[in-house]
Amino acid sequence: MPLPIVALVGRPNVGKSTLFNRIAGKRLAIVEDLPGTTRDRLYADAEWTSVPFTLVDTGGIELTEGVDAGARRGIAPLGVASADFRREIREQAQVAIEEADVIVFMVDARDGITAGDTDVADVLRRTEKPVVLAANKADNEARRLAALEFYELGLGEPFPVSAFHGTGTGDLLDVVVKRLPEIEQDPEDDALKIAIIGRPNVGKSSLLNALIGQERSIVSSVPGTTRDAIDMRLLWENEPVVLIDTAGIRRRGRVERGIEKYSVMRALRAVQKADVVALMIDASEGVTAQDAHIASYALDEWKGVMVLVNKWDLVVKDTYTMHEFTQRIRADFKFIDWVPLLFISALTRQRVHKVIGVAQKIQAERHVRLPTSEVNRVIRRAVDRHRLPSKTGRQLKIYYATQADVAPPVFAIFVNDTELVHFTYRRYLENQIRAHYPFLGTPIKLVFRKRSEN
Ligand code: GDP
Ligand code: GDP
């Protein structure tokens, strides 16, 4: 289900990622070993007073191609910023305006108003979207008072906060949550929803055109809930399929204009609405940190995932090339070796006809339900093969397991003490389940529950 998006904007070092971590908390990401994801997570689902939303730290969003966000953050000058740099933060603000529902503009109460702040404020004053001004590093009474200075930015009341100490953040979130719009939900429908996501120029629009050109029985394009979003509905082998946010895909497909470079927030929304995410990469470029971010977000949201390696026509190949590519891409996306890769060319249409078929297969896998007897057999065999871990003399015992849900598949495993379940043992059990049934392209959830001995 799509959640409203809250974007944190502001120049580097004001404390965006500190606030982000405080609000998002420490949620265990299932793919925490992916490169550049835990260390520098940019999106998280959070809630305040039971109101859920997606929080985005725009500070980490890579707008300039080929420049590492972390490195850029490190070299970013404080206060007076270079022309390039000032353009960049204005662009960040612009992206937030386009895609977010509420914008939290963060400034530094220790520094006072800087040129960078004024730039962002100039952009933000022009939007109709709600903007909440957070004056961070207001660690003491003097600085909380000094924060009043930010009234001058013309964005209403500055909320003094200390992301570091956690003071004032509650009041800030109260206001943010109050200003979130009601998100209209799309009417329930059985169609398989596919989001095609990838960096600019990887070939998303070309794929879309190839798919639409091939399939004569397009039913309709239906406006999505996001402003400007157009979902394309079609029948594929008599099954209803919706390609999400094709307007966004086409828009990005056009000649690049500044901020349309990579609309991560738009991609997030598409992921939230999707059942299956088709992550497209360019065969000649490989996997970027941004791709890894999107993949980990999709998996965190328990969506089906497939990788499309496009522009395969450009690769000089011999018998081993596909194998070598597969290994390299799998290494880049570390733990997701159960995600299918498809080598395609949107240009020559090589294997384009397989794309939707693979997505349908993944969707079927998400709905597989293993009988309880089978699950227990798998778990018992796993336990026999690999001694159960113990901690300070207590040994883990597994009593019983069952598949509790589908889409995503959830396995409930009843044990004597959930504290005794290590991350490595959890992964071992997941691998054992997958060895029995592969769940192609499908994240599976293992939930451990305490049951007393009887
Ligand atoms: P970002 O670049 O905007 O994401 O900023 P960071 O979150 O990385 O914070 C930049 C620096 O400011 C770090 O050294 C933080 O520890 C520090 N910082 C963040 N919030 C606070 C705060 O509320 N008070 C103080 N004194 N320092 C803070
Ligand atoms: P988008 O920004 O991801 O929508 O990418 P486009 O579909 O606009 O494609 C960007 C460029 O790559 C265009 O010049 C396409 O013609 C080209 N392109 C797309 N797919 C392929 C492919 O499979 N092979 C080759 N050689 N070029 C492609």
Side-chain angles (χ1 to χ4, degrees):
M1 273 304 139
L3 297 177
I5 292 180
V6 176
L8 288 175
V9 303
R11 56 192 176 77
N13 283 316
V14 293
K16 293 183 298 298
S17 69
T18 308
L19 184 68
F20 176 89
N21 287 330
R22 180 163 285 281
I23 296 174
K26 302 260 175 288
R27 209 164 56 104
L28 184 70
I30 53 165
V31 281
E32 56 197 334
D33 295 340
L34 279 175
T37 44
T38 9
R39 186 178 42 78
D40 198 4
R41 227 152 44 104
L42 311 181
Y43 348 100
D45 289 347
E47 60 167 50
W48 180 252
T49 56
S50 305
V51 181
F53 55 90
T54 300
L55 186 65
V56 180
D57 175 5
T58 61
I61 293 175
E62 208 176 312
L63 287 174
T64 316
E65 304 227 353
V67 179
D68 174 73
R72 208 184 52 233
R73 196 185 287 198
I75 55 158
L78 258 171
V80 188
S82 72
D84 269 1
F85 189 67
R86 289 177 63 169
R87 197 191 61 228
E88 176 116 342
I89 37 188
R90 274 198 303 269
E91 287 181 356
Q92 304 262 5
Q94 196 65 48
V95 170
I97 287 176
E98 290 217 348
E99 310 293 351
D101 297 295
V102 172
I103 298 148
V104 175
F105 176 29
M106 186 176 264
V107 291
D108 186 330
R110 222 163 39 175
D111 292 345
I113 296 176
T114 69
D117 295 338
T118 317
D119 283 353
V120 176
D122 288 346
V123 177
L124 293 181
R125 268 197 310 274
R126 280 183 248 132
T127 177
E128 311 265 286
K129 297 262 174 89
V131 176
V132 182
L133 182 59
N136 192 35
K137 310 196 188 177
D139 303 335
N140 52 44
E141 193 51 38
R143 290 228 198 104
R144 278 191 286 276
L145 277 173
L148 292 172
E149 174 196 358
F150 292 102
Y151 263 113
E152 269 178 46
L153 292 173
L155 289 166
E157 181 185 355
F159 288 84
V161 297
S162 169
F164 200 75
H165 300 288
T167 50
T169 52
D171 291 343
L172 177 74
L173 287 172
D174 283 344
V175 176
V176 168
V177 161
K178 221 176 275 165
R179 302 187 71 179
L180 286 174
E182 290 281 325
I183 292 270
E184 285 166 54
Q185 303 294 3
D186 284 332
E188 279 299 313
D189 100 50
D190 304 333
L192 162 63
K193 294 176 208 68
I194 306 174
I196 303 169
I197 310 273
R199 279 154 41 89
N201 285 317
V202 290
K204 298 176 298 297
S205 322
S206 306
L207 174 65
L208 195 68
N209 288 329
L211 287 172
I212 291 167
Q214 255 179 25
E215 184 50 63
R216 299 261 154 244
S217 47
I218 290 180
V219 184
S220 61
S221 359
V222 279
T225 45
T226 314
R227 200 172 28 96
D228 308 335
I230 299 284
D231 296 341
M232 188 74 72
R233 185 175 272 277
L234 50 105
L235 281 177
W236 194 267
E237 318 237 297
N238 290 322
E239 296 289 330
V241 170
V242 172
L243 298 173
I244 289 171
D245 190 16
T246 55
I249 293 173
R250 295 207 151 159
R251 196 163 62 130
R252 276 172 309 192
R254 287 201 319 247
V255 182
E256 300 290 300
R257 283 195 288 114
I259 52 147
E260 292 192 0
K261 278 184 181 163
Y262 193 14
S263 187
V264 179
M265 280 183 262
R266 190 158 190 138
L268 291 187
R269 263 206 223 277
V271 168
Q272 286 178 342
K273 286 171 72 180
D275 300 305
V276 175
V277 175
L279 185 63
M280 188 183 267
I281 63 174
D282 183 325
S284 59
E285 288 179 344
V287 180
T288 65
Q290 203 70 261
D291 296 326
H293 277 304
I294 297 282
S296 71
Y297 184 76
L299 295 173
D300 274 353
E301 297 282 309
W302 307 101
K303 304 298 184 177
V305 175
M306 62 195 286
V307 174
L308 303 175
V309 186
N310 191 35
K311 308 199 186 179
W312 195 234
D313 57 293
L314 294 180
V315 175
V316 183
K317 296 175 270 287
D318 63 29
T319 336
Y320 304 105
T321 315
M322 199 182 280
H323 179 67
E324 283 163 13
F325 265 77
T326 304
Q327 301 240 308
R328 201 183 319 148
I329 293 165
R330 290 215 185 284
D332 287 342
F333 282 123
K334 279 194 186 148
F335 285 107
I336 47 178
D337 54 355
W338 37 265
V339 167
L341 305 184
L342 206 51
F343 294 84
I344 65 168
S345 168
L347 193 72
T348 69
R349 308 202 165 183
Q350 189 186 14
R351 283 186 283 271
V352 157
H353 62 283
K354 293 201 171 171
V355 171
I356 293 180
V358 172
Q360 286 172 329
K361 167 78 177 145
I362 293 174
Q363 180 70 340
E365 298 271 285
R366 297 178 79 228
H367 285 89
V368 162
R369 194 184 280 274
L370 299 180
T372 297
S373 58
E374 236 171 79
V375 178
N376 277 295
R377 201 159 353 109
V378 172
I379 298 293
R380 229 177 359 251
R381 205 165 45 207
V383 169
D384 286 346
R385 271 194 212 145
H386 208 305
R387 246 169 61 83
L388 289 160
S390 64
K391 199 156 95 185
T392 58
R394 296 231 326 131
Q395 179 135 41
L396 175 67
K397 284 184 191 152
I398 298 180
Y399 300 118
Y400 175 79
T402 188
Q403 185 176 342
D405 207 352
V406 295
V410 177
F411 292 88
I413 301 173
F414 294 88
V415 300
N416 58 336
D417 183 355
T418 53
E419 297 276 299
L420 298 171
V421 185
H422 295 267
F423 183 65
T424 46
Y425 202 75
R426 171 193 288 268
R427 182 173 294 161
Y428 165 71
L429 289 180
E430 173 169 346
N431 289 340
Q432 294 298 307
I433 293 171
R434 286 187 188 278
H436 172 75
Y437 191 89
F439 289 104
L440 182 82
T442 305
I444 63 176
K445 203 177 204 170
L446 270 55
V447 184
F448 292 87
R449 296 266 155 73
K450 187 183 166 71
R451 208 201 68 180
S452 52
E453 239 163 317
N454 46 34

